[in-house]
Structures are given as C-alpha cells and as structure tokens.
Amino acid sequence: FLILLVLILCFVLAALNNNRPKVIISRLLNKDVQKNQPKYLVSLLGVIPAGEAVFFNEAIEDYGEAEVRRVYHLSAKAENLKIYSGFIKGAAILDSYLDEYSFDPLLFRQRLSISGKKEALKEVSYDQEAHIMSIAGERRQILPHTQDPLSAMFNIRRMDFEKVKEFEMNINTNQKNYLLKAAARTEEMLIKNKKYKIIILDANISRREKSPYHKTSMQMVLWKDRQNLPIYIKVFSSGFLINCRLIDIE
C-alpha cells in the first residue's frame, strides 16, 4: 500500500510540475517560430491524461453563395488517447467561419462522434448585424459581437495586453447568451538566461440572466512572445476540473 501511495504521489507531482508555464515553454523553445499549429494534452482532474486536441492553422476562404465574402476558417479537433481506444473512441471536430474584418463568427459547426452512437452535428449561423442566431431551425436573439469558442480564442490572441487589463465577450453556441469576463496580468520568467513574458487570464463564464447554476471559472496562460499562444488552460465547471497543456507546435 505504501509503495502504491508513493507511486501515485510521484505521478501527481510530476503531472503538476509539467503544467508549470516555465516547464512548458522550456520544452518548446527549439520549435520553428513560423509554425503555429498547437497540440494540447487534455487531462481530467489536472493529472489524468484523457485526450489530445489540435488547433489547425487558420485559412482565408470565400464564404457564401448569393453574396460571397472573405472569411477566416478556423478548425480544431480533439479525440481521446489511443490507450483508451479499446474501451471507447470519441472525437470532436470544430469549425468556425469569421468575418475578415470584424472577426465575428458567421457560422459555427460542431461534429461529435462516439463509438457505437450516431454522429451528432450542431450548426449555428449568426446574423451579427440583426443580432440573430439560428440553430436547429430556431432563431434566437444574441448580443453584439457574439462569439463561439474558436472565434473567442482567435480574438483573445490578437489583444494587446499591454493596454487591455480587463475585457468581456459575449458567447453563444447553444441558444443561451453567456458572458465571459476576464482580467489579465503580465509576468516575466527567466529561462536559459533569457526573459520571457506570459499573460495570465483569470476568467469567469456565466449566463447573462445571472443563473446561479451555470458558472464556469477558467485560467488561461498565454505565451506573449509567440503571439499570445495559449500554453495552459484550466477549466473548473460543475465541480469538475479539466486542463489543457501545450505539448507540441507543428
């Protein structure tokens, strides 16, 4: 029992150490600065590896048929680790199409697949000028500059945190309007005799109608020297902790 306890303790301490921003950055310093396709390890309770997520490079494309406009196409994919494939196979594919100038989403698409079940598709279209979103045949009122998860990250990475210390975002991908409210602070760390800056965002996400049951707290660490690249994200919701740690840049 004591040996097992020591092994578990060592595993937990190693996992927690790997989540330190200084450790994450030091392992990625030799990566090509031109590459910008981050890969993350997703862990449950902060220490149990569960899956991987990749954010693909954004592309500029034509969007629409009657009225063609240029958009940023963002995409990401997450799936469980192969060690669990004997029990379950699950994956999520996200796509978002953003207006080239406002960076507001026009369309958000989510595909969820789990072994043994039919693929679930969710598609949300946004009329940002009329403040209307459509999902599954229903139209809902939204707030100005409403974002989806991918567009929110896109916009956060383009913020100048030398000037921005607090900000708010409207988020809606499931009929209810949510508010993301965050505060930013800058820290410096010394790695191999060179200084690097990180931005730490402490955020809360809650429903606009102030429901006490739908609240999420989040902390995000951004690597300022790499265009505010997220290197660590910790999310606590409904009594459950999930974190994402940057493990590679492809």
Side-chain angles (χ1 to χ4, degrees), residues 116-181:
K117 294 187 177 182
K118 183 180 179 181
E119 183 182 71
L121 172 64
K122 178 169 71 172
E123 192 168 282
V124 185
S125 60
Y126 301 89
D127 185 335
Q128 296 285 355
E129 295 180 358
H131 301 160
I132 294 291
M133 65 175 277
S134 301
I135 176 173
E138 293 188 28
R139 291 164 58 87
R140 296 275 180 156
Q141 193 77 29
I142 58 174
L143 297 165
H145 306 294
T146 290
Q147 306 296 320
D148 62 54
L150 293 182
S151 67
M153 186 71 73
F154 182 91
N155 281 279
I156 287 173
R157 291 196 61 184
R158 278 152 182 77
M159 289 185 181
D160 181 358
F161 289 104
E162 296 293 336
K163 301 175 181 178
V164 177
K165 300 304 178 185
E166 294 183 347
F167 65 91
E168 294 183 356
M169 277 188 179
N170 299 309
I171 299 177
N172 193 335
T173 60
N174 196 32
Q175 302 180 349
K176 297 294 184 180
N177 290 313
Y178 283 80
L179 169 67
L180 184 153
K181 190 173 183 180

Side-chain angles (χ1 to χ4, degrees), residues 56-61 71-75 94-98:
F56 301 104
N57 291 329
E58 68 230 25
I60 298 181
E61 304 174 358
V71 298
Y72 284 100
H73 179 193
L74 315 178
S75 57
L94 307 180
D95 288 278
S96 180
Y97 298 84
L98 279 58

Side-chain angles (χ1 to χ4, degrees), residues 217-235:
S217 62
M218 179 175 66
Q219 186 177 79
M220 185 183 303
V221 182
L222 311 177
W223 188 353
K224 187 177 185 298
D225 305 286
R226 286 295 296 266
Q227 300 175 326
N228 290 338
L229 176 65
I231 61 172
Y232 181 70
I233 303 171
K234 179 171 64 176
V235 179

Side-chain angles (χ1 to χ4, degrees), residues 59-64 67-73 97-102 106:
I60 298 181
E61 304 174 358
D62 289 333
Y63 175 85
E67 181 183 351
V68 178
R69 58 202 296 184
R70 300 288 281 174
V71 298
Y72 284 100
H73 179 193
Y97 298 84
L98 279 58
D99 180 84
E100 183 182 13
Y101 302 105
S102 69
L106 305 174

